[in-house]
Amino acid sequence: MISKSESYTSGQESVTNSTWPIYILKEWIGLDYNYPNYMGSFLCVSLSILFFPHLLWFIVCAFCNICLHIYKRKNGLDDDFSNKSWDNGRLMVSRIISMYGKLWHGYEVHGIEKIPEGPGLIVYYHGATSVDYHFFVCNLYIQTGRVSYSVVDHALRMIPGLQLYLKLLTAVYGGREQCVEILKKGSLLGVAPGGARESFFSDENYSILWGNRKGFAQVAIDAKVPIIPLFTQNIREVCRTLGTTYIKSARVWLDDCNVHDEKFSNSVRVFERVEVYFLLETHVGSEAPPKTKIAIEALRDRHQKLPGNILRALLERFDKYQKDD
């Protein structure tokens, strides 16, 4: 049995499987105190509550995936999602996701009438999470009956239990040629040029971190389609981090468990985020080529108070309840 006092190994701080939650608590509070054994369990429960919204979002998506499998089998459908027989299934999923967004975040989309009737490239700011884009795509389908393809990370292919859901929402994993082909067929396509970099390293000032990623502009030029900017208010405040202490402690915990897979270890950073009950509102801008970045910054400056503030975002959520009442 590992002793609780066994916290240092070879001069480096180490945390045992049973004590790493207590270590986190000590670091956060900044006190050197011998907490009773039950504190570890207490903190584990507390962290589980904090992460519940992430789990809830996954459960909602997984539930949609199960419903789609039942719908597919009941109607004898294949994976040809252009088939009109899939329309009711897509509407069902869109309503479920939209309801979740409305109940948890009071989600609304403004300016949806600015989406062109023909093809278009939707370019959006990638916040701490892309849940807002899911809400947008579903609301777009409910209000207009239009499907928007979405360029997503290849890592999503590895998530079990969501594949049919992602296919129905027309996730795109291909490159520039596939994107151009989709647009030339008259469809809408959504992309976040900042991707994971913008998600992790942007800040409360909502800095747009695209670097040299300008391929989306070439796609729009090749397909001869307009670019539509998109920005969601409070999308950075909706996900908060637990800080570097949690990440360092979790990595030590993985080492104690002899888990040395680099990809798995790096994935810990994803789970440092806590989804909070804040108001989300997506704003659609007017067609904006070639200065798309400036157009998104203009949407940000118009609809987002900078720097982002947790308390203000929370008050906006409750203020919206009062206005609705």
Side-chain angles (χ1 to χ4, degrees):
M1 183 174 178
I2 301 176
S3 173
K4 180 175 138 181
S5 62
E6 188 179 356
S7 58
Y8 291 90
T9 305
S10 301
Q12 294 182 346
E13 193 169 27
S14 177
V15 184
T16 66
N17 296 353
S18 60
T19 61
W20 74 270
I22 300 177
Y23 169 73
I24 298 173
L25 186 62
K26 288 182 179 180
E27 289 294 310
W28 281 352
I29 297 178
L31 296 176
D32 187 12
Y33 178 75
N34 292 323
Y35 296 91
N37 291 332
Y38 65 80
M39 287 301 294
S41 300
F42 171 77
L43 187 56
C44 285
V45 172
S46 300
L47 291 175
S48 298
I49 294 173
L50 285 173
F51 288 125
F52 176 72
H54 275 306
L55 179 61
L56 180 60
W57 171 239
F58 178 81
I59 291 174
V60 169
C61 293
F63 173 73
C64 290
N65 199 74
I66 293 173
C67 290
L68 288 173
H69 276 289
I70 296 174
Y71 180 83
K72 177 182 178 180
R73 184 167 183 176
K74 181 179 179 181
N75 293 279
L77 301 176
D78 53 24
D79 286 345
D80 179 14
F81 297 107
S82 62
N83 188 329
K84 293 293 184 181
S85 298
W86 275 108
D87 288 354
N88 287 334
R90 185 177 285 110
L91 181 61
M92 171 186 65
V93 167
S94 296
R95 291 194 182 282
I96 293 173
I97 298 298
S98 178
M99 185 183 301
Y100 171 84
K102 187 70 175 177
L103 292 176
W104 192 258
H105 296 294
Y107 180 81
E108 291 181 356
V109 55
H110 303 282
I112 206 167
E113 68 280 356
K114 297 178 182 178
I115 303 292
E117 294 183 2
L121 183 64
I122 299 171
V123 178
Y124 63 97
Y125 171 82
H126 199 307
T129 173
S130 61
V131 67
D132 60 316
Y133 182 72
H134 285 257
F135 298 156
F136 166 75
V137 168
C138 291
N139 276 269
L140 177 68
Y141 186 75
I142 293 172
Q143 295 185 37
T144 69
R146 299 198 63 188
V147 175
S148 178
Y149 288 77
S150 308
V151 178
V152 301
D153 193 283
H154 287 273
L156 289 180
R157 286 180 169 178
M158 302 172 61
I159 301 178
L162 299 182
Q163 294 311 304
L164 189 55
Y165 164 76
L166 291 172
K167 288 178 181 178
L168 188 70
L169 293 185
T170 52
V172 176
Y173 304 95
R176 187 178 300 178
E177 293 183 359
Q178 184 182 7
C179 292
V180 171
E181 182 181 352
I182 289 171
L183 291 168
K184 284 186 174 180
K185 289 181 178 179
S187 300
L188 295 170
L189 177 69
V191 61
R197 180 189 181 194
E198 192 167 74
S199 173
F200 285 118
F201 300 111
S202 186
D203 52 25
E204 65 274 8
N205 292 311
Y206 286 75
S207 304
I208 296 178
L209 306 179
W210 291 358
N212 294 321
R213 294 183 177 180
K214 300 178 181 178
F216 71 92
Q218 190 60 51
V219 166
I221 292 173
D222 293 344
K224 299 179 180 179
V225 299
I227 295 178
I228 303 99
L230 207 69
F231 178 81
T232 300
Q233 176 186 353
N234 292 331
I235 193 57
R236 291 221 70 84
E237 276 62 58
V238 80
C239 254
R240 307 310 303 170
T241 64
L242 297 181
T244 56
T245 298
Y246 169 75
I247 294 301
K248 291 179 180 178
S249 303
R251 287 185 182 278
V252 172
W253 176 68
L254 289 174
D255 289 338
D256 286 347
C257 294
N258 295 318
V259 177
H260 301 293
D261 183 270
E262 186 64 23
K263 290 183 178 179
F264 182 76
S265 182
N266 286 337
S267 69
V268 171
R269 176 172 287 275
V270 176
F271 295 101
E272 75 169 313
R273 298 174 171 211
V274 182
E275 190 177 343
V276 190
Y277 186 67
F278 289 157
L279 172 69
L280 290 180
E281 291 186 352
T282 293
H283 300 274
V284 182
S286 302
E287 298 178 13
K291 299 181 180 180
T292 309
K293 184 176 180 180
I294 296 176
I296 292 181
E297 288 175 337
L299 283 174
R300 176 199 64 191
D301 296 341
R302 189 180 310 137
H303 301 289
Q304 180 69 52
K305 293 182 180 179
L306 300 176
N309 181 276
I310 299 175
L311 180 59
R312 183 174 60 241
L314 188 60
L315 291 176
E316 287 174 351
R317 181 70 170 101
F318 288 103
D319 182 58
K320 177 178 174 57
Y321 266 137
Q322 293 176 358
K323 290 179 179 179
D324 290 344
D325 294 341

